Amino acid sequence: MAHIIVVGNEKGGAGKSTVSMHVATALARLGHRVGALDLDLRQRTLGRYLDNRYAFLKKSGMDLPSPVLAELPQIEADSLTPGENAYDHRLSHAVAELEGKSDFIIIDCPGSHTRLSQVAHSLADTLITPMNDSFIDFDLLARVDNDGVKILGPSVYSEMVWSARQLRAQAGLQPIDWVVLRNRLGAQQMVNKMKIERALERLSKRIGFRIVPGFSERVVFRELFPRGLTLLDLKDVGVKQLNISNVAARQELRDLIKALNLPGVEV
Amino acid sequence: MAHIIVVGNEKGGAGKSTVSMHVATALARLGHRVGALDLDLRQRTLGRYLDNRYAFLKKSGMDLPSPVLAELPQIEADSLTPGENAYDHRLSHAVAELEGKSDFIIIDCPGSHTRLSQVAHSLADTLITPMNDSFIDFDLLARVDNDGVKILGPSVYSEMVWSARQLRAQAGLQPIDWVVLRNRLGAQQMVNKMKIERALERLSKRIGFRIVPGFSERVVFRELFPRGLTLLDLKDVGVKQLNISNVAARQELRDLIKALNLPGVEV
Ligand SMILES: Nc1ncnc2c1ncn2[C@@H]1O[C@H](COP(=O)(O)OP(=O)(O)OP(=O)(O)O)[C@@H](O)[C@H]1O
Ligand SMILES: Nc1ncnc2c1ncn2[C@@H]1O[C@H](COP(=O)(O)OP(=O)(O)OP(=O)(O)O)[C@@H](O)[C@H]1O
Ligand SMILES: [Mg+2]
Ligand SMILES: [Mg+2]
């Protein structure tokens, strides 16, 4: 049984595709079999990141451990059972295709509310929600008062996760391990950072997620997209000396994988 | 005739709502009448930012120049003409409501492809597209080769703008002034920054937009969301001394407004 990791946040640009690529590649490089699905059918950032990787590896004759990308299959309308949603059908087929050959399946969700995203959330053994260190991103999880202190109530994305959890509970499945991480953290910005941290801690107890270490704002997390590479691949492609930011980035990714507590994963 | 400014980018987290709030507030503080529309019906970041502002001003008894938020009206299904799309109807009504009392109407679009967003783009006199300094964001405008140099072809968002321009041309309207700005720029990161800059310049000639100065990554652009304030309001709310980053932020916003070349706007 593949362990399904869903990376979700309705908020755009939280870092879902970036986290998906880096977690998937880290697990592949640790020797696990990793399948990947991109549910952002229009933007397809994760799909493009992996396509770039395959193209680069082919062109350079290199062979690096890589996640295996699966596409949602095209289907005939008449292959649906009456009342079955076409997207649900395509998603369960794509997951089934990866199940037999994967220890982990990473599912990257779009930054909007879609049927595919909703269904994927109910498939999650682990749900990773990245967010910017910002009350604008926080606003999708919960509303806060004018001082950014008091929690006034849940917002659309928390409610969406809640209904995914309901569905899972009704189906008798294991509860979702919901982890939230802050992404693109600045080196300074102490006042804002402390405020968000406190508000998140309060919210985590209230709506049931745990907070794990995230990523700082580092250009290495985005500059390797055209070649489909991550910081973990740099030594293999001939970069002799990692700069100090890349060494710190590697530690951040390591700490994240550790904190995810995934079955069979030793970091 | 209000000058319509649409802030659009299908890519999530590019900075649309942040740019919308800051441009709208800057114009209001310059003495212009500014209307605002939030087409992200679920997340409503701009709507929430302005609601926070109104609540804060009311609570503190202050009166600062502010954009006027309009909501899309609810409509009766039978008020539609045969074949008319409900969203088109609601949008044109909201714009009509603001037209008579606004010099500028700012329309914030969602980070996904919706009917409202598509229609709004064809209403734009000025279209502002913010993007992160990243090839992941670039990928929504155009595909590039593995080195991030050669432009291989347009992507979904460029194609969406192209069809909005087509529609406008067919309707005999003035062409859209399409401006692209980079947002959340880092202080260093020279190599990546240069690559993106060059690719953007090449693309601008190819698909017809101009590049304007954008914003650096600064916590002041996001930490004032709970009170609905911007850096321009800080003196009025009693912050005696702006720190060096806030002074620089004010200059960045000033340079952007200037570069937009808006009718009747003196900076
Ligand atoms: N830790 C980081 N350091 C530097 N840049 C980052 C980091 N995380 C993400 N980015 C950049 O921020 C932008 C948004 O990230 P990403 O596309 O992964 O978010 P997303 O949640 O998948 O967005 P969407 O909602 O559009 O799917 C991208 O330009 C990406 O390169
Ligand atoms: N120049 C900046 N400096 C610091 N933080 C910024 C800056 N611009 C945007 N942000 C932060 O980045 C995140 C994304 O910005 P924003 O929500 O404005 O983007 P968006 O394009 O409207 O996203 P969506 O696609 O979800 O509508 C937010 O957390 C915001 O506070
Ligand atoms: Mg994404
Ligand atoms: Mg927005």
Side-chain angles (χ1 to χ4, degrees):
Chain A
M1 275 308 281
H3 183 99
I4 297 182
I5 300 170
V6 173
V7 185
N9 192 339
E10 202 174 322
K11 182 67 180 84
K16 298 177 287 295
S17 304
T18 297
V19 166
S20 296
M21 182 65 185
H22 287 78
V23 167
T25 303
L27 292 172
R29 292 189 61 100
L30 283 171
H32 303 282
R33 299 169 303 161
V34 181
L37 274 178
D38 191 340
L39 302 189
D40 194 331
L41 302 186
R42 249 179 86 90
Q43 300 186 18
R44 246 191 117 249
T45 301
L46 179 66
R48 299 268 303 131
Y49 208 143
L50 287 167
D51 288 344
N52 290 346
R53 184 179 186 84
Y54 303 147
F56 175 78
L57 294 181
K58 186 166 183 214
K59 197 168 74 172
S60 60
M62 247 183 257
D63 184 21
L64 297 175
S66 298
V68 172
L69 179 70
E71 302 284 349
L72 294 196
Q74 294 302 326
I75 51 148
E76 299 298 324
D78 53 15
S79 65
L80 294 171
T81 60
E84 184 185 17
N85 182 293
Y87 285 116
D88 300 9
H89 182 99
R90 296 173 72 194
L91 178 56
S92 52
H93 268 249
V95 171
E97 179 199 334
L98 289 170
E99 270 285 358
K101 55 182 183 178
S102 308
D103 305 311
F104 297 96
I105 299 174
I106 314 280
I107 304 181
D108 187 18
C109 294
S112 53
H113 186 50
T114 65
R115 173 83 184 201
L116 277 174
S117 183
Q118 179 80 60
V119 177
H121 276 68
S122 62
L123 299 179
D125 297 308
T126 298
L127 169 64
I128 304 176
T129 293
M131 60 177 280
N132 282 287
D133 191 36
S134 166
F135 277 109
I136 281 187
D137 282 44
F138 197 98
D139 200 54
L140 273 284
L141 289 175
R143 283 165 297 115
V144 293
D145 65 4
N146 273 131
D147 303 308
V149 174
K150 192 162 175 297
I151 306 230
L152 304 175
S155 299
V156 284
Y157 183 67
S158 303
E159 293 170 335
M160 197 271 242
V161 175
W162 187 85
S163 57
R165 281 175 146 167
Q166 286 279 82
L167 257 169
R168 250 180 109 75
Q170 285 162 14
L173 297 168
Q174 287 296 320
I176 300 174
D177 180 21
W178 187 14
V179 307
V180 174
L181 65 92
R182 285 188 294 169
N183 184 34
R184 305 191 72 175
L185 283 157
Q188 304 122 0
Q189 304 160 12
M190 280 307 147
V191 176
N192 185 65
K193 211 184 269 187
M194 280 307 332
K195 278 189 158 185
I196 302 264
E197 199 162 313
R198 292 208 184 104
L200 260 185
E201 277 166 15
R202 245 170 287 130
L203 189 64
S204 73
K205 299 187 181 67
R206 211 167 124 152
I207 65 180
F209 57 77
R210 56 191 185 92
I211 300 164
V212 296
F215 300 152
S216 300
E217 169 77 19
R218 300 183 189 283
V219 75
V220 70
F221 280 117
R222 62 174 184 253
E223 66 184 331
L224 303 174
F225 170 79
R227 288 188 289 163
L229 300 173
T230 70
L231 61 105
L232 299 175
D233 307 305
L234 287 178
K235 284 231 180 94
D236 291 331
V237 297
V239 174
K240 297 264 172 301
Q241 181 101 335
L242 290 189
N243 66 35
I244 202 165
S245 179
N246 293 355
V247 171
R250 196 164 52 178
Q251 190 60 38
E252 288 178 348
L253 183 49
R254 221 164 152 266
D255 291 344
L256 170 59
I257 301 293
K258 211 155 182 268
L260 291 177
N261 271 340
L262 299 168
V265 175
E266 298 285 340
V267 180
Chain B
M1 275 308 280
H3 183 98
I4 297 182
I5 300 170
V6 173
V7 186
N9 192 339
E10 200 173 323
K11 183 68 181 83
K16 298 177 287 296
S17 303
T18 298
V19 167
S20 296
M21 182 65 186
H22 287 78
V23 168
T25 304
L27 292 173
R29 291 188 62 100
L30 283 171
H32 304 282
R33 300 168 305 162
V34 181
L37 274 178
D38 190 339
L39 301 188
D40 194 330
L41 301 187
R42 248 178 87 91
Q43 300 186 15
R44 247 190 114 250
T45 301
L46 180 66
R48 300 268 303 132
Y49 208 143
L50 287 167
D51 289 344
N52 291 346
R53 186 181 185 83
Y54 305 145
F56 174 78
L57 294 180
K58 184 164 183 214
K59 196 168 77 174
S60 61
M62 248 184 258
D63 183 22
L64 297 176
S66 299
V68 172
L69 179 70
E71 301 286 348
L72 295 195
Q74 293 304 324
I75 53 152
E76 298 299 323
D78 53 14
S79 68
L80 293 171
T81 60
E84 183 183 19
N85 182 293
Y87 286 116
D88 300 10
H89 181 99
R90 296 173 74 195
L91 179 56
S92 53
H93 269 248
V95 172
E97 178 198 333
L98 289 170
E99 271 283 1
K101 56 183 183 178
S102 307
D103 304 313
F104 297 96
I105 300 173
I106 314 279
I107 304 181
D108 187 18
C109 293
S112 54
H113 186 51
T114 65
R115 173 82 183 200
L116 277 175
S117 183
Q118 179 80 60
V119 177
H121 277 67
S122 62
L123 299 178
D125 297 309
T126 297
L127 169 63
I128 303 177
T129 293
M131 59 176 280
N132 281 288
D133 190 35
S134 166
F135 277 109
I136 281 186
D137 282 44
F138 197 98
D139 200 53
L140 273 284
L141 290 175
R143 281 164 300 114
V144 294
D145 64 5
N146 273 130
D147 303 309
V149 174
K150 193 162 175 295
I151 307 228
L152 304 175
S155 299
V156 284
Y157 184 66
S158 302
E159 292 170 336
M160 196 270 241
V161 175
W162 187 84
S163 56
R165 282 175 146 168
Q166 288 278 83
L167 256 169
R168 251 179 108 77
Q170 284 162 13
L173 297 167
Q174 287 296 322
I176 300 174
D177 180 19
W178 188 12
V179 307
V180 174
L181 65 93
R182 283 186 297 168
N183 183 35
R184 305 192 73 175
L185 283 157
Q188 305 124 1
Q189 304 159 12
M190 279 307 148
V191 175
N192 184 65
K193 211 185 268 186
M194 281 305 332
K195 278 189 158 187
I196 302 267
E197 201 162 311
R198 292 207 184 104
L200 260 186
E201 278 166 14
R202 243 171 287 129
L203 190 63
S204 74
K205 299 187 180 70
R206 210 165 124 154
I207 64 180
F209 58 77
R210 57 192 184 91
I211 300 164
V212 296
F215 301 151
S216 300
E217 168 77 22
R218 299 183 189 282
V219 75
V220 71
F221 281 117
R222 62 173 185 253
E223 65 184 332
L224 302 175
F225 170 79
R227 289 186 291 164
L229 300 173
T230 70
L231 60 104
L232 299 175
D233 307 303
L234 288 177
K235 285 233 178 94
D236 291 332
V237 298
V239 174
K240 297 265 172 299
Q241 181 102 337
L242 290 190
N243 65 36
I244 202 164
S245 178
N246 294 355
V247 171
R250 196 164 53 176
Q251 190 60 39
E252 289 179 346
L253 182 49
R254 223 166 151 263
D255 291 344
L256 170 59
I257 301 293
K258 209 155 180 271
L260 291 178
N261 271 341
L262 298 169
V265 176
E266 299 284 340
V267 181

